[in-house]
Amino acid sequence: MFSHIANSTGLYEIRVEVGSNIYRVFSFFDKGQLIILVNGFQKKTQKTPLKEIEKAEKLKKQYFYEKEGKK
């Protein structure tokens, strides 16, 4: 399942089931064609932890910053 994360800057969540475990991987699009996977975690509750969303937002910002050559 590929779902948009509400109240984010274009983050999406990919849901992966392995046995009885459920994992979530955050991702975003680069120019609409390239999907960048940034961080994953095992989800144990219904609500996505805010700290995981914040981490993904930070990694997205870092990706575009470094891509522009402003290391």
Side-chain angles (χ1 to χ4, degrees):
M1 179 183 264
F2 196 71
S3 307
H4 180 260
I5 300 295
N7 301 318
S8 72
T9 62
L11 291 177
Y12 290 82
E13 181 180 78
I14 299 168
R15 182 178 184 264
V16 180
E17 265 186 74
V18 180
S20 61
N21 296 316
I22 298 173
Y23 300 93
R24 307 296 173 139
V25 180
F26 286 121
S27 61
F28 59 90
F29 289 93
D30 183 352
K31 297 189 181 188
Q33 297 177 7
L34 181 64
I35 299 173
I36 308 297
L37 306 176
V38 286
N39 67 310
F41 62 99
Q42 186 174 11
K43 189 170 178 180
K44 297 181 179 182
T45 64
Q46 282 290 68
K47 192 169 182 177
T48 302
L50 184 58
K51 75 175 194 166
E52 295 294 341
I53 296 172
E54 290 170 346
K55 182 178 181 180
E57 292 279 12
K58 181 179 175 184
L59 291 168
K60 179 183 177 190
K61 184 184 276 188
Q62 181 180 346
Y63 168 84
F64 284 112
Y65 182 80
E66 291 181 8
K67 182 179 176 191
E68 292 174 11
K70 298 178 181 177
K71 293 182 185 178

